[in-house]
Amino acid sequence: MAFAQTRGGGMTGAKLAAQLLLDLPDDGPDGPSGPSIARALRVSGVLEEAVDLAHHPREPLALMNALAQLGQSSLSAGRIFEGHVNAVKLLNLHGGPIRPAKGGELYGIWGADGPDPVHIHNGVLQGQKLFASGADVLDQIIVTARSDRGLNLILFPRKVLHGRLFPHEWQVSGMTSTASGRCDLNGVALSDGVILGEPDSYLTEPHFHGGVWRYAAVQMGAMRRLTMITADQLRRRDQVKAPLQAMRLHGMITACETARLWLAQAATTVERSGATPSDAQAAILARLRTAQEAVALLGLMDQALGAASFATGHPADRIRRDLGLYLRQANPDGMALASTASIAADTNLSTRWIG
């Protein structure tokens, strides 16, 4: 395996991680396992790089490119890395302990509640988290928990959650390597973690919804990979110049570029130090547009490659399933309705986005 590689010659951690991920063996039920993915991320140095990229990076497009590179190699890895970036940004925003992140520890944030939402009662957590991405590999975990003062962020080391993680319950057709299982927080003492910021500070814009462009960048990377796979298959079949196939490939190329332009605008808008709450709309619109382009791209790919690409061993099959699931994160319909209402109700936003 390629884990002996080290960075050199100007290679970024993201680029090395992308190479390592492509070389991983299929040691999980549906491709590389979560532990193998986490090891590739740690060895590459991309987790340490995230400390500088996550919050007000000097070059926001470097963050976009890192997310896209990982998404191009593995959507599960991109999802885990994006969660790491999100968590590191929260540590910066709320004065959390950053030293472990500089040492290459893997972070994540779990916000999705199930039927038993997580809340704080008499200094003890009650409830459970669902869709806990990286449940089998994270070193440090931020969880959200309600109290009578609002929504709180609490950072826990993995050892506190020993015996409380159930990644095997993640039984879905896509993103299986994220092992996004359940976390039972019933009885965990608040004193075993570190409270980050003030109640409801997590919801402050442009850092809350303003961050949705990041996982769209991961998705854009997968769109590029599918376009590469399609172009390669058409070349092998000597169909690149066939009129209908050429138009399908053209549509996939322009879908990727449309998403990239929207995401580049969002990254440079939201990640600058002077970003305002209303700038979050740039991220929301970019995330929604990327999803639209991704759905169109998947349709074009299916038409171009036909039934053969649905074989479980085809290079497009797992990416199709992973991307189809990932695009549903998180409540895109509600996000679109809220964004439209905000833009229509605000004169400055209307001037910016409507005219």
Side-chain angles (χ1 to χ4, degrees):
M1 222 186 312
F3 282 128
Q5 296 185 50
T6 57
R7 280 179 290 172
M11 180 181 289
T12 65
K15 186 174 181 179
L16 178 55
Q19 291 183 1
L20 294 174
L21 290 164
L22 288 173
D23 290 340
L24 289 178
D26 290 348
D27 60 344
D30 189 28
S33 66
S36 291
I37 286 173
R39 186 180 176 207
L41 294 176
R42 291 187 177 101
V43 169
S44 70
V46 72
L47 300 180
E48 295 96 315
E49 282 185 0
V51 174
D52 294 323
L53 291 175
H55 185 56
H56 299 327
R58 286 183 295 178
E59 298 181 15
L61 295 185
L63 174 58
M64 183 189 78
N65 291 335
L67 292 162
Q69 284 177 324
L70 292 179
Q72 188 168 317
S73 296
S74 164
L75 275 171
S76 289
R79 174 68 188 91
I80 291 172
F81 177 66
E82 192 280 324
H84 175 78
V85 170
N86 189 1
V88 172
K89 186 176 186 71
L90 291 171
L91 294 177
N92 278 282
L93 286 169
H94 305 298
I98 202 76
R99 184 182 297 275
K102 292 180 178 179
E105 291 201 3
L106 181 56
Y107 283 69
I109 174 167
W110 297 340
D113 287 312
D116 185 15
V118 176
H119 60 282
I120 302 169
H121 180 68
N122 291 333
V124 176
L125 270 61
Q126 303 291 334
Q128 301 185 18
K129 289 293 180 185
L130 302 181
F131 311 121
S133 292
D136 58 345
V137 296
L138 297 182
D139 301 307
Q140 303 277 346
I141 301 103
I142 299 173
V143 301
T144 58
R146 289 279 176 188
S147 70
D148 55 5
R149 297 181 59 202
L151 187 66
N152 301 268
L153 293 174
I154 308 106
L155 173 68
F156 291 105
R158 182 179 181 82
K159 63 182 181 180
V160 172
L161 304 181
H162 179 71
R164 297 176 173 276
L165 304 174
F166 304 92
H168 61 277
E169 294 182 6
W170 183 240
Q171 300 293 324
V172 294
S173 62
M175 304 294 281
T176 57
S177 295
T178 62
S180 303
R182 176 174 59 92
C183 176
D184 183 357
L185 291 167
N186 283 302
V188 174
L190 194 60
S191 58
D192 287 336
V194 177
I195 298 175
L196 304 177
E198 297 296 322
D200 284 339
S201 59
Y202 173 52
L203 304 176
T204 302
E205 299 292 5
H207 308 299
F208 183 56
H209 284 112
V212 299
W213 75 268
R214 292 192 302 267
Y215 62 78
V218 177
Q219 295 162 358
M220 186 260 290
M223 292 167 62
R224 286 179 167 175
R225 177 78 182 283
L226 291 174
T227 303
M228 293 166 60
I229 290 171
T230 301
D232 179 65
Q233 298 270 313
L234 294 180
R235 290 190 194 100
R236 292 173 182 270
R237 300 176 187 176
D238 196 24
Q239 293 180 342
V240 173
K241 294 182 180 179
L244 288 177
Q245 296 288 50
M247 290 306 297
R248 289 165 182 148
L249 184 57
H250 170 80
M252 296 176 72
I253 292 169
T254 56
C256 291
E257 181 63 5
T258 299
R260 187 193 69 80
L261 291 170
W262 273 94
L263 290 166
Q265 175 182 237
T268 54
T269 299
V270 174
E271 299 304 325
R272 61 191 175 90
S273 59
T276 65
S278 63
D279 286 331
Q281 294 302 323
I284 295 170
L285 292 172
R287 176 262 181 268
L288 294 170
R289 188 67 207 180
T290 298
Q292 292 172 347
E293 297 297 335
V295 169
L297 181 143
L298 287 168
L300 291 167
M301 181 192 72
D302 288 345
Q303 291 174 350
L305 298 183
S309 69
F310 286 84
T312 54
H314 194 280
D317 176 63
R318 183 167 65 235
I319 303 171
R320 178 198 288 111
R321 289 184 282 111
D322 286 351
L323 184 57
L325 175 62
Y326 201 176
L327 290 173
R328 299 317 305 164
Q329 179 188 352
N331 189 20
D333 291 344
M335 190 180 296
L337 289 173
S339 176
T340 302
S342 295
I343 292 171
D346 187 289
T347 301
N348 292 329
L349 287 175
S350 294
T351 300
R352 169 69 179 88
W353 296 108
I354 299 175

